[in-house]
Amino acid sequence: ETGVTQSPTHLIKTRGQQVTLRCSSQSGHNTVSWYQQALGQGPQFIFQYYREEENGRGNFPPRFSGLQFPNYSSELNVNALELDDSALYLCASSLGPLNTEAFFGQGTRLTVV
Amino acid sequence: KQEVTQIPAALSVPEGENLVLNCSFTDSAIYNLQWFRQDPGKGLTSLLLIQSSQREQTSGRLNASLDKSSGRSTLYIAASQPGDSATYLCAVRPGSGTYKYIFGTGTRLKVLA
């Protein structure tokens, strides 16, 4: 059991709505990364935050945005939800952006109807 | 462009068998490689992290090896148990300055009692 906590665990939204997912990183970890995992696929990198700054971004449109707070917790915001946004969203924290072990939370299952 | 492949996609073995899961990647320039376990609908549990300068890592019944030059990693599970049933994911962190992990699609393992 890692110290990475995500909320909520499940939610259902309607197409066109907006959603905010939250992640509390493991104690002492200053880096948070977000991934999207579609059913039967490996996780895909959305972006990473290091010391409150976006530190890298994957191939996701601008309606996917994020934030990291001074306590290193993080939010993922998705605007104008589409059916294809239905997925498991995973947050990972690490002590540093590059050469350290990543610890994942239990994920948030988002269903868009 | 870095790509990660895991073979086989699914594997079913009797309890007690030793087994090997394979991971291959197309670009040998990596910072590290991490193996994860994922139970259905859950987050990722870190199993082993191998830095690019290392050849192998061991934890309990698990041993992971890394051969950067051939673009391969293997996860060896000794004396498999039904509790080992899960999907095993391999992820590489490219050495090109990007901070993301690139995942394979996983091997779904079932250990029969």
Side-chain angles (χ1 to χ4, degrees), chain A residues 2 33 35 37 40-45 48 55-58 88 90 94 96-107 109, chain B residues 31-32 34 36 38 40-49 51-52 87 89 93-94 97-106:
Chain A
T2 72
S33 303
Y35 290 81
Q37 186 179 25
Q41 301 296 314
Q44 298 289 317
F45 176 73
Q48 183 186 81
N55 197 34
R57 188 178 183 92
L88 182 67
L90 296 162
S94 57
L98 202 54
N99 257 355
T100 59
E101 192 171 1
F103 295 91
F104 281 77
Q106 81 280 14
R109 170 69 63 187
Chain B
Y31 275 112
N32 55 46
Q34 196 166 349
F36 296 91
Q38 186 173 34
K42 304 292 186 184
L44 276 59
T45 299
S46 175
L47 297 175
L48 290 162
L49 169 71
Q51 300 291 357
S52 62
T87 296
L89 291 157
R93 188 162 265 155
T98 177
Y99 301 105
K100 63 182 177 182
Y101 267 123
I102 297 175
F103 282 83
T105 52

Side-chain angles (χ1 to χ4, degrees), chain B residues 1-2 25-33 52 66-71 92-98 100 102:
Chain B
K1 180 189 169 191
Q2 179 73 270
F25 46 96
T26 54
D27 188 341
S28 62
I30 63 170
Y31 275 112
N32 55 46
L33 182 148
S52 62
L66 175 64
D67 183 345
K68 266 199 329 177
S69 60
S70 66
V92 300
R93 188 162 265 155
S96 58
T98 177
K100 63 182 177 182
I102 297 175

